[in-house]
Amino acid sequence: MNEKTIINYLQGHATEEEMALVGAWISESEENARRFFEMEEVHNMLLADAVPAERVDAALGRIVGEDSEAEPATERIGTLRVIRSVLKYAAVLLIGVLIGGAYIYKIGVDKKPVETIIAKAIGGTQEMMLADGTKVWLHDGASLRYPEAFDGDQRKVGLDGEAYFEVAKDAEHPFVVEGDDVNVKVLGTKFNFKSLKKRHNDEVALVEGSVNVSIPETEESVILSPGQKASLDTKSGKLVVNPINATLAAVWRDDLIPFENANLREIGDALKQIYNVKVVYANGVDTMKTYSGVISRKDDVASVMRLLQNSIPMRYTVKGNTLTILP
């Protein structure tokens, strides 16, 4: 007998084979039958809001208390109250003892259960909105863990991959993004967060507002201003802050590449990120002059360079994976 079979039986989802297994297990011994009917009793009580708390405590006590005779009575009562509180109000867990071991499963007692959802972008960018109004763009391959509804002092989500956030403002409930090695805490702002577990090279680029970037292990933290990027140095394990053109950090989220007072090196950095190319600047190229505008994202870097040539005085060559910009 295993936990899943009992759970399916109590929830009415058991197959004929599982029903037969439970029946056979109950028939094996009086002990099995007693354990099953006590679990069934607790299950039914938790589904009925009108059952007095004392009856629920008594039923839980028969299950979790028999093997805890050494536990002081006052501590045991406290334990039962905690369990009942979790069951009735968090209402996503049922805790008992099955064949000497603990088991946990969702029963949906509460009218507003808090569930964790995992969204993953496959084959392109995925745009989504969270319960608080925060907008998120997931880069291809990225995944986000978030609650169906935010509860508590903080609005917490977990990120694996790269995402762009436009956080809804709520001064009383900070928005926290937990990455692999780095956490980001904000009240309401726009930023790009790259957290790749395999590479351990978390990066946070701030577009608007301010964010607190921290390393939970060392408690090191920095406050970013717009136009700054914090990166985790894999050698030193410390955060490094550098100035960037933040609008270019998240060009992947739509099919437009914006340039606002960006020089050729910053434009080249954006093309390097989007098309995974090496960018070389020949002698004589003015890399300091800035340009502003928006161009459509194309399938290859050569197509983008042809568009840029209409506004920027330059030439270019593309050989293999190398883009060379010429005067």
Side-chain angles (χ1 to χ4, degrees):
M1 182 54 55
N2 59 61
E3 295 90 343
K4 186 174 183 298
T5 302
I6 291 288
I7 291 165
N8 288 343
Y9 191 98
L10 291 175
Q11 292 184 319
H13 301 151
T15 63
E16 290 186 2
E17 182 180 0
E18 288 176 327
M19 291 176 68
L21 284 172
V22 172
W25 179 72
I26 292 173
S27 301
E28 282 180 4
S29 68
E30 291 184 4
E31 174 66 11
N32 289 353
R34 183 184 58 80
R35 284 186 178 277
F36 174 82
F37 290 123
E38 286 178 349
M39 287 186 286
E40 186 179 43
E41 180 186 15
V42 173
H43 178 269
N44 292 335
M45 282 183 177
L46 291 166
L47 293 177
D49 291 333
V51 177
E54 292 77 13
R55 285 190 59 196
V56 178
D57 284 347
L60 284 169
R62 288 198 297 272
I63 296 179
V64 303
E66 291 175 351
D67 299 325
S68 307
E69 293 179 359
E71 186 180 14
T74 53
E75 291 186 14
R76 180 180 164 192
I77 291 171
T79 301
L80 294 179
R81 285 176 178 170
V82 170
I83 292 174
R84 174 165 52 80
S85 175
V86 170
L87 295 174
K88 292 295 287 184
Y89 302 111
V92 293
L93 303 177
L94 171 59
I95 305 175
V97 175
L98 175 63
I99 320 177
Y103 69 98
I104 300 173
Y105 72 96
K106 186 179 294 184
I107 62 174
V109 176
D110 195 283
K111 296 178 181 178
K112 294 182 180 179
V114 178
E115 296 186 5
T116 299
I117 301 170
I118 300 178
K120 184 161 186 175
I122 301 175
T125 301
Q126 178 179 332
E127 182 180 351
M128 57 192 297
M129 182 178 289
L130 305 184
D132 65 335
T134 293
K135 293 181 180 179
V136 184
W137 286 261
L138 292 178
H139 202 315
D140 187 17
S143 60
L144 185 74
R145 302 182 308 279
Y146 63 98
E148 185 179 39
F150 289 105
D151 187 21
D153 296 334
Q154 295 183 333
R155 298 170 286 165
K156 282 189 178 182
V157 301
L159 175 66
D160 180 14
E162 186 171 8
Y164 181 84
F165 294 84
E166 290 186 357
V167 179
K169 293 182 180 180
D170 185 346
E172 296 182 359
H173 302 89
F175 190 91
V176 178
V177 184
E178 297 179 334
D180 183 33
D181 298 300
V182 166
N183 290 352
V184 179
K185 183 178 182 179
V186 304
L187 296 178
T189 186
K190 299 178 181 180
F191 64 97
N192 192 77
F193 189 5
K194 183 189 295 183
S195 178
L196 305 177
K197 289 185 177 180
K198 294 182 179 179
R199 301 181 185 177
H200 298 283
N201 63 341
D202 290 11
E203 295 180 356
V204 181
L206 182 61
V207 177
E208 182 181 295
S210 66
V211 300
N212 179 294
V213 183
S214 63
I215 304 175
E217 280 192 9
T218 63
E219 297 185 353
E220 177 192 1
S221 66
V222 296
I223 304 294
L224 294 186
S225 299
Q228 290 185 324
K229 179 178 75 172
S231 306
L232 179 64
D233 188 307
T234 54
K235 293 183 179 179
S236 67
K238 295 184 176 297
L239 291 169
V240 179
V241 178
N242 291 303
I244 60 164
N245 189 322
T247 57
L248 300 183
V251 294
W252 53 265
R253 72 187 176 101
D254 51 34
D255 291 327
L256 297 177
I257 305 176
F259 299 111
E260 184 176 352
N261 294 323
N263 61 42
L264 267 182
R265 287 198 178 274
E266 291 171 329
I267 293 172
D269 288 343
L271 299 178
K272 178 181 178 181
Q273 177 180 331
I274 298 170
Y275 297 101
N276 194 29
V277 294
K278 179 181 179 181
V279 181
V280 177
Y281 302 91
N283 292 331
V285 174
D286 184 1
T287 60
M288 300 308 295
K289 187 175 180 180
T290 60
Y291 303 89
S292 296
V294 177
I295 61 172
S296 298
R297 182 174 177 174
K298 300 298 181 181
D299 292 335
D300 57 81
V301 70
S303 298
V304 173
M305 292 303 295
R306 283 195 292 271
L307 290 175
L308 287 174
Q309 269 190 322
N310 296 327
S311 303
I312 301 176
M314 65 172 179
R315 295 180 296 122
Y316 71 92
T317 61
V318 178
K319 292 184 179 179
N321 201 42
T322 301
L323 165 65
T324 303
I325 298 178
L326 307 165

